[in-house]
Amino acid sequence: MNDKIEHNADSRLSDDSLIRGGPFYEVQRITRLIRSDQWHFKRRIAFAISIGWVPLLLITLLFEPGAVMSFLRDYRIHARMLIAVPVLLLGQGLMESQFRTMVKHLRNARLLADSDLGRADELMAELRRLRDSALPELIIFLLVVAHTALSFSKVVDAAPWLATATTNGLRLTPAGWYAVLISASIFQFLLGLSLWKWLLWWIFAFKLSELHLNLVPTHPDGHGGLGFLGLMVRAFAPISFAVTAVIGATWRHEILHGGAHLMNFKLPAVALVVIVAILALLPLFFFVSQLAALRRKGILDYAVLGQIEMTEFDEKWIAKREGHESQVLTSMESSNVIDFSATYDRIKQLNPLPVDGGTLIPLALSIVVPILPTIFTEIPISVALQDLLKALR
């Protein structure tokens, strides 16, 4: 009975969710890693670490005891299993929360025309079918397997816990095999799953942009009423953080052990920022043309109204002002002119891209923060702080 009640509750919650569906989610629900409306992040993170990181330590202790310190000092595996994987799991909850908030606001604000309400319901039903399909997750799994089979020999090195050098090349240790086959695959699968769920948001945004939206050029959010869409940018921050942490860990290892320098990664770093920006912001560009058209129409429509208002004001208070000069500033018409000018300025300042600087801060931090260990590898933190203090003088 309790299982039935819980399943019904979960079904209701999944109606507006990008996450609560698909084989991976169902396995977690059946095994009680996820229950009803509880994500149980601590339980799931502990389980992932116990599968992906703890065995590496135990296997190294058992088969390569002399390489334990090599394992403990290898920031790459810690970045993947102790930082990136937990962040990706937490990110699932954030993505669901932001998407729910967005859909709820979309309904409460009555942004959809009555004629498009049915199409919006069809869109959500289509997203649920895609989310629940086993095919995307099967493809992700096969891609992980193919990537592991084709490239594992190129990404391992002679770290004592990971592999040993022989005349025929590198030979993986037992812990090395586990890291390649299990630990790395856990991270890669979760990353692929997160990107798949993010693609569902892309689809939703594209389909929504094709519907007739009740937009207002004078809306105080400065985006015609679509400013709330920028909330979804924050949902990409965990994905960006996880990827940057893993990439930064690799760069850090190359600096410490491969003779590389920070400037060697200048172009890859720029590419990373560009890719993150495209993935996070592209769905919002679907609405640019509609908001740009709204701005143009608003300027023209209010210019007509302004012409009428200003003409009447000019005739009454400028052309025929004699004997009424003292009443101009206190008149209702003067207040209307000031209010109208502020409204017209608001329309001209309408931003067709529905995102603000404050919304972009979490995304920027998701790139900067995980890369700091790499920067401090070559630039000591004391030197960085001294330069910062000098810049403040």
mmCIF file of all heavy atoms in Angstrom, residues 14 21 24 29 47 59 97 99 103 163 197 201 209 217 222 242 254 268 283 286 298 301 308 323 367 370:
data_model
loop_
_atom_site.group_PDB
_atom_site.id
_atom_site.type_symbol
_atom_site.label_atom_id
_atom_site.label_comp_id
_atom_site.label_asym_id
_atom_site.label_seq_id
_atom_site.Cartn_x
_atom_site.Cartn_y
_atom_site.Cartn_z
ATOM 1 N N SER A 14 6.596 14.011 -11.081
ATOM 2 C CA SER A 14 7.321 13.882 -12.339
ATOM 3 C C SER A 14 6.645 14.603 -13.494
ATOM 4 O O SER A 14 7.224 14.713 -14.573
ATOM 5 C CB SER A 14 7.491 12.396 -12.701
ATOM 6 O OG SER A 14 6.233 11.815 -12.996
ATOM 7 N N GLY A 21 12.504 10.407 -14.270
ATOM 8 C CA GLY A 21 12.081 9.484 -15.300
ATOM 9 C C GLY A 21 13.280 8.826 -15.951
ATOM 10 O O GLY A 21 14.413 9.279 -15.802
ATOM 11 N N PHE A 24 17.554 4.881 -15.350
ATOM 12 C CA PHE A 24 18.470 5.145 -14.239
ATOM 13 C C PHE A 24 17.708 5.652 -13.024
ATOM 14 O O PHE A 24 17.972 5.227 -11.888
ATOM 15 C CB PHE A 24 19.531 6.157 -14.673
ATOM 16 C CG PHE A 24 20.561 6.452 -13.615
ATOM 17 C CD1 PHE A 24 21.446 5.478 -13.195
ATOM 18 C CD2 PHE A 24 20.651 7.718 -13.037
ATOM 19 C CE1 PHE A 24 22.397 5.740 -12.225
ATOM 20 C CE2 PHE A 24 21.596 7.995 -12.072
ATOM 21 C CZ PHE A 24 22.475 7.002 -11.657
ATOM 22 N N ARG A 29 14.905 4.556 -7.714
ATOM 23 C CA ARG A 29 13.660 4.558 -6.951
ATOM 24 C C ARG A 29 13.363 3.169 -6.387
ATOM 25 O O ARG A 29 12.971 3.031 -5.221
ATOM 26 C CB ARG A 29 12.503 5.033 -7.837
ATOM 27 C CG ARG A 29 11.209 5.276 -7.078
ATOM 28 C CD ARG A 29 10.097 5.680 -8.024
ATOM 29 N NE ARG A 29 9.785 4.610 -8.963
ATOM 30 C CZ ARG A 29 9.016 3.562 -8.673
ATOM 31 N NH1 ARG A 29 8.507 3.424 -7.456
ATOM 32 N NH2 ARG A 29 8.769 2.640 -9.585
ATOM 33 N N PHE A 47 26.785 6.461 -1.651
ATOM 34 C CA PHE A 47 26.781 5.229 -2.445
ATOM 35 C C PHE A 47 27.740 5.346 -3.630
ATOM 36 O O PHE A 47 28.505 4.406 -3.919
ATOM 37 C CB PHE A 47 25.367 4.937 -2.935
ATOM 38 C CG PHE A 47 25.258 3.689 -3.758
ATOM 39 C CD1 PHE A 47 25.257 2.443 -3.148
ATOM 40 C CD2 PHE A 47 25.170 3.761 -5.142
ATOM 41 C CE1 PHE A 47 25.161 1.278 -3.906
ATOM 42 C CE2 PHE A 47 25.073 2.614 -5.905
ATOM 43 C CZ PHE A 47 25.070 1.367 -5.282
ATOM 44 N N ILE A 59 41.833 -1.547 -3.081
ATOM 45 C CA ILE A 59 42.586 -2.353 -4.042
ATOM 46 C C ILE A 59 44.054 -1.961 -4.039
ATOM 47 O O ILE A 59 44.949 -2.813 -4.118
ATOM 48 C CB ILE A 59 41.982 -2.203 -5.450
ATOM 49 C CG1 ILE A 59 40.578 -2.812 -5.481
ATOM 50 C CG2 ILE A 59 42.861 -2.880 -6.497
ATOM 51 C CD1 ILE A 59 39.824 -2.539 -6.777
ATOM 52 N N SER A 97 14.434 21.691 -9.656
ATOM 53 C CA SER A 97 13.845 22.808 -8.919
ATOM 54 C C SER A 97 13.660 24.028 -9.807
ATOM 55 O O SER A 97 12.593 24.660 -9.805
ATOM 56 C CB SER A 97 14.727 23.151 -7.710
ATOM 57 O OG SER A 97 14.283 24.320 -7.072
ATOM 58 N N PHE A 99 13.509 24.142 -13.096
ATOM 59 C CA PHE A 99 12.541 23.902 -14.164
ATOM 60 C C PHE A 99 11.118 23.957 -13.619
ATOM 61 O O PHE A 99 10.219 24.521 -14.266
ATOM 62 C CB PHE A 99 12.810 22.541 -14.813
ATOM 63 C CG PHE A 99 11.972 22.296 -16.040
ATOM 64 C CD1 PHE A 99 12.260 22.933 -17.230
ATOM 65 C CD2 PHE A 99 10.880 21.429 -16.003
ATOM 66 C CE1 PHE A 99 11.488 22.717 -18.373
ATOM 67 C CE2 PHE A 99 10.102 21.208 -17.130
ATOM 68 C CZ PHE A 99 10.416 21.849 -18.314
ATOM 69 N N VAL A 103 8.208 26.548 -14.920
ATOM 70 C CA VAL A 103 6.920 26.105 -15.454
ATOM 71 C C VAL A 103 5.769 26.660 -14.617
ATOM 72 O O VAL A 103 4.736 27.087 -15.158
ATOM 73 C CB VAL A 103 6.861 24.563 -15.502
ATOM 74 C CG1 VAL A 103 5.466 24.086 -15.871
ATOM 75 C CG2 VAL A 103 7.878 24.021 -16.496
ATOM 76 N N ALA A 163 49.402 2.667 -13.030
ATOM 77 C CA ALA A 163 50.032 1.813 -14.036
ATOM 78 C C ALA A 163 51.533 1.770 -13.807
ATOM 79 O O ALA A 163 52.110 2.664 -13.178
ATOM 80 C CB ALA A 163 49.725 2.340 -15.444
ATOM 81 N N LYS A 197 19.534 15.493 -19.965
ATOM 82 C CA LYS A 197 18.430 16.214 -19.317
ATOM 83 C C LYS A 197 18.453 17.693 -19.709
ATOM 84 O O LYS A 197 17.401 18.328 -19.861
ATOM 85 C CB LYS A 197 18.532 16.078 -17.796
ATOM 86 C CG LYS A 197 18.511 14.640 -17.289
ATOM 87 C CD LYS A 197 17.240 13.909 -17.637
ATOM 88 C CE LYS A 197 17.220 12.509 -17.017
ATOM 89 N NZ LYS A 197 16.004 11.758 -17.347
ATOM 90 N N TRP A 201 15.677 20.522 -21.800
ATOM 91 C CA TRP A 201 15.382 21.937 -21.569
ATOM 92 C C TRP A 201 15.526 22.712 -22.881
ATOM 93 O O TRP A 201 14.722 23.594 -23.183
ATOM 94 C CB TRP A 201 16.280 22.500 -20.488
ATOM 95 C CG TRP A 201 16.560 23.966 -20.559
ATOM 96 C CD1 TRP A 201 17.780 24.562 -20.621
ATOM 97 C CD2 TRP A 201 15.605 25.044 -20.557
ATOM 98 N NE1 TRP A 201 17.660 25.929 -20.676
ATOM 99 C CE2 TRP A 201 16.335 26.254 -20.635
ATOM 100 C CE3 TRP A 201 14.217 25.099 -20.509
ATOM 101 C CZ2 TRP A 201 15.728 27.494 -20.667
ATOM 102 C CZ3 TRP A 201 13.594 26.355 -20.540
ATOM 103 C CH2 TRP A 201 14.351 27.525 -20.609
ATOM 104 N N SER A 209 9.290 28.856 -27.591
ATOM 105 C CA SER A 209 9.528 30.087 -28.355
ATOM 106 C C SER A 209 8.654 30.155 -29.605
ATOM 107 O O SER A 209 8.465 31.232 -30.175
ATOM 108 C CB SER A 209 11.001 30.188 -28.751
ATOM 109 O OG SER A 209 11.351 29.192 -29.695
ATOM 110 N N PRO A 217 5.929 44.958 -23.386
ATOM 111 C CA PRO A 217 7.205 45.670 -23.545
ATOM 112 C C PRO A 217 7.605 46.488 -22.331
ATOM 113 O O PRO A 217 8.795 46.791 -22.149
ATOM 114 C CB PRO A 217 6.961 46.561 -24.765
ATOM 115 C CG PRO A 217 5.482 46.735 -24.829
ATOM 116 C CD PRO A 217 4.912 45.436 -24.333
ATOM 117 N N GLY A 222 12.450 43.901 -17.573
ATOM 118 C CA GLY A 222 13.319 44.352 -18.654
ATOM 119 C C GLY A 222 13.456 43.358 -19.781
ATOM 120 O O GLY A 222 14.280 43.537 -20.688
ATOM 121 N N ALA A 242 31.483 20.599 -12.494
ATOM 122 C CA ALA A 242 32.020 19.236 -12.537
ATOM 123 C C ALA A 242 33.018 19.070 -13.671
ATOM 124 O O ALA A 242 34.113 18.511 -13.483
ATOM 125 C CB ALA A 242 30.878 18.234 -12.677
ATOM 126 N N GLU A 254 49.455 17.852 -15.241
ATOM 127 C CA GLU A 254 50.432 18.094 -16.297
ATOM 128 C C GLU A 254 51.430 19.171 -15.896
ATOM 129 O O GLU A 254 52.605 19.118 -16.285
ATOM 130 C CB GLU A 254 49.710 18.481 -17.588
ATOM 131 C CG GLU A 254 48.901 17.335 -18.193
ATOM 132 C CD GLU A 254 48.266 17.707 -19.512
ATOM 133 O OE1 GLU A 254 48.693 18.710 -20.118
ATOM 134 O OE2 GLU A 254 47.337 17.004 -19.942
ATOM 135 N N PRO A 268 42.779 26.266 -24.695
ATOM 136 C CA PRO A 268 41.752 25.348 -24.178
ATOM 137 C C PRO A 268 40.842 25.995 -23.145
ATOM 138 O O PRO A 268 39.644 25.680 -23.091
ATOM 139 C CB PRO A 268 42.583 24.215 -23.557
ATOM 140 C CG PRO A 268 43.869 24.233 -24.294
ATOM 141 C CD PRO A 268 44.130 25.679 -24.580
ATOM 142 N N PRO A 283 19.616 28.174 -25.255
ATOM 143 C CA PRO A 283 18.143 28.114 -25.221
ATOM 144 C C PRO A 283 17.478 29.473 -25.092
ATOM 145 O O PRO A 283 16.365 29.677 -25.589
ATOM 146 C CB PRO A 283 17.863 27.242 -23.983
ATOM 147 C CG PRO A 283 19.072 26.402 -23.831
ATOM 148 C CD PRO A 283 20.219 27.286 -24.244
ATOM 149 N N PHE A 286 16.652 31.474 -28.327
ATOM 150 C CA PHE A 286 15.454 31.148 -29.090
ATOM 151 C C PHE A 286 14.397 32.236 -28.963
ATOM 152 O O PHE A 286 13.505 32.334 -29.815
ATOM 153 C CB PHE A 286 14.864 29.815 -28.612
ATOM 154 C CG PHE A 286 15.775 28.630 -28.795
ATOM 155 C CD1 PHE A 286 15.732 27.559 -27.914
ATOM 156 C CD2 PHE A 286 16.681 28.582 -29.840
ATOM 157 C CE1 PHE A 286 16.558 26.456 -28.075
ATOM 158 C CE2 PHE A 286 17.525 27.487 -30.014
ATOM 159 C CZ PHE A 286 17.461 26.424 -29.128
ATOM 160 N N GLY A 298 6.914 47.963 -29.480
ATOM 161 C CA GLY A 298 6.635 48.804 -28.315
ATOM 162 C C GLY A 298 7.105 50.233 -28.525
ATOM 163 O O GLY A 298 6.395 51.193 -28.169
ATOM 164 N N ASP A 301 4.612 51.833 -31.044
ATOM 165 C CA ASP A 301 3.280 52.050 -30.463
ATOM 166 C C ASP A 301 3.297 53.173 -29.432
ATOM 167 O O ASP A 301 2.405 54.041 -29.426
ATOM 168 C CB ASP A 301 2.781 50.761 -29.804
ATOM 169 C CG ASP A 301 2.414 49.691 -30.825
ATOM 170 O OD1 ASP A 301 2.284 50.033 -32.013
ATOM 171 O OD2 ASP A 301 2.285 48.513 -30.430
ATOM 172 N N ILE A 308 0.710 61.936 -29.253
ATOM 173 C CA ILE A 308 -0.588 62.483 -28.857
ATOM 174 C C ILE A 308 -0.486 63.203 -27.522
ATOM 175 O O ILE A 308 -0.971 64.340 -27.370
ATOM 176 C CB ILE A 308 -1.628 61.344 -28.770
ATOM 177 C CG1 ILE A 308 -1.830 60.702 -30.145
ATOM 178 C CG2 ILE A 308 -2.946 61.864 -28.204
ATOM 179 C CD1 ILE A 308 -2.714 59.465 -30.118
ATOM 180 N N GLY A 323 -0.296 83.155 -18.115
ATOM 181 C CA GLY A 323 -1.171 83.247 -16.959
ATOM 182 C C GLY A 323 -1.277 81.955 -16.176
ATOM 183 O O GLY A 323 -1.903 81.930 -15.109
ATOM 184 N N ILE A 367 33.099 28.081 -13.229
ATOM 185 C CA ILE A 367 34.323 27.912 -14.017
ATOM 186 C C ILE A 367 35.545 28.360 -13.225
ATOM 187 O O ILE A 367 36.584 27.692 -13.221
ATOM 188 C CB ILE A 367 34.231 28.710 -15.334
ATOM 189 C CG1 ILE A 367 33.064 28.196 -16.179
ATOM 190 C CG2 ILE A 367 35.536 28.624 -16.110
ATOM 191 C CD1 ILE A 367 32.839 28.996 -17.446
ATOM 192 N N PRO A 370 36.564 25.952 -9.533
ATOM 193 C CA PRO A 370 37.272 24.668 -9.645
ATOM 194 C C PRO A 370 38.614 24.749 -10.355
ATOM 195 O O PRO A 370 39.400 23.799 -10.293
ATOM 196 C CB PRO A 370 36.289 23.793 -10.434
ATOM 197 C CG PRO A 370 35.421 24.746 -11.156
ATOM 198 C CD PRO A 370 35.307 25.956 -10.288
#
